Amino acid sequence: MSPKNSVRQALAARARQRARQGVHVAVHRAWEWVQRHGEITPHTPGRRRFAYLGEGACIGFPVGSIYGEPWISIGDHTLVGTHVTISAGFVPGLDLGPDVIVRIGASCSLGRGTHIVGHQSIEIGDDVFTGPNVYITDQNHTYGDLHTPIGRQWPENNPVVIGDGCWIGTGAIILPGTRLGRNVAVAGGAVVRGEFPDHSVIGGVPAKVLRSHDKENGWQPPLRNDPLMSLDELAALSVDGLEGLQILQDRLREESAVREEALQEDDTLQEEAG
């Protein structure tokens, strides 16, 4: 191959590489623009469809299936992730009566891919956080008629109430009739039905109480480790934005290093004792 051809091929390869990089940057910047302008906020036309969409609230784009908006209320400063489905009723266009069916409180955060499917009443309190792909519904199919396919039997509704401050882990399923108290932690993958008290940790299939707080004896069973910081410190960091999150990340890294060092010391002592 002649030197001229080699130079031409090198220049052509470099041009193709730069073109690919340019297309890559353009596609990602365009998608960021689409996401930013596709969000539903109190300052976009989409807000008018909802019973209430609070100040500072945001529904990420792309959205999931959202319909029955006149019977859906979303509180101030609540963030709804992408691909989240929030629905009231079976299909769009039904008259569901005078009352709000799905009520989501203020300062909540709903993880990507979460589904909230309401037919009678779903009430989610303030400061409720979910991981991705959580499913919450107040309706279930019945199976009592032995001669009719389950999918064609008349469904049953039972209201759902989720108290303030709850955390619902990734992939958890909240079934009709569930009532969670304040600050209930739901383990990832749990299938929840029934009533659970304030300040409890629940998990399993079906979910049961794994840990709860007693006014006299504290957490039962006791917590294994002291918290990294007090609730007051954590609340202070939460209002500091990115700087506060960086401080929290640094503390977590320091805590992890301390634990790893302690484990290494334990291993060394065991080897010497052996």
Side-chain angles (χ1 to χ4, degrees), residues 173-245:
I173 299 173
I174 310 298
L175 294 174
T178 295
R179 299 181 67 90
L180 302 182
R182 289 186 63 249
N183 281 29
V184 175
V186 180
V191 178
V192 184
R193 185 170 188 173
E195 297 191 18
F196 297 89
D198 296 350
H199 309 295
S200 59
V201 179
I202 65 176
V205 182
K208 62 180 181 180
V209 175
L210 305 177
R211 173 176 276 125
S212 59
H213 189 271
D214 181 82
K215 291 182 179 180
E216 295 182 358
N217 300 314
W219 286 100
Q220 299 298 321
L223 299 176
R224 285 174 287 184
N225 298 307
D226 293 331
L228 188 64
M229 60 184 66
S230 70
L231 293 178
D232 290 339
E233 290 177 311
L234 188 58
L237 290 180
S238 67
V239 300
D240 289 338
L242 186 60
E243 182 179 354
L245 292 176

Side-chain angles (χ1 to χ4, degrees), residues 43-54:
H43 306 291
T44 61
R47 75 186 189 282
R48 301 191 187 102
R49 298 196 297 266
F50 290 85
Y52 180 75
L53 185 64

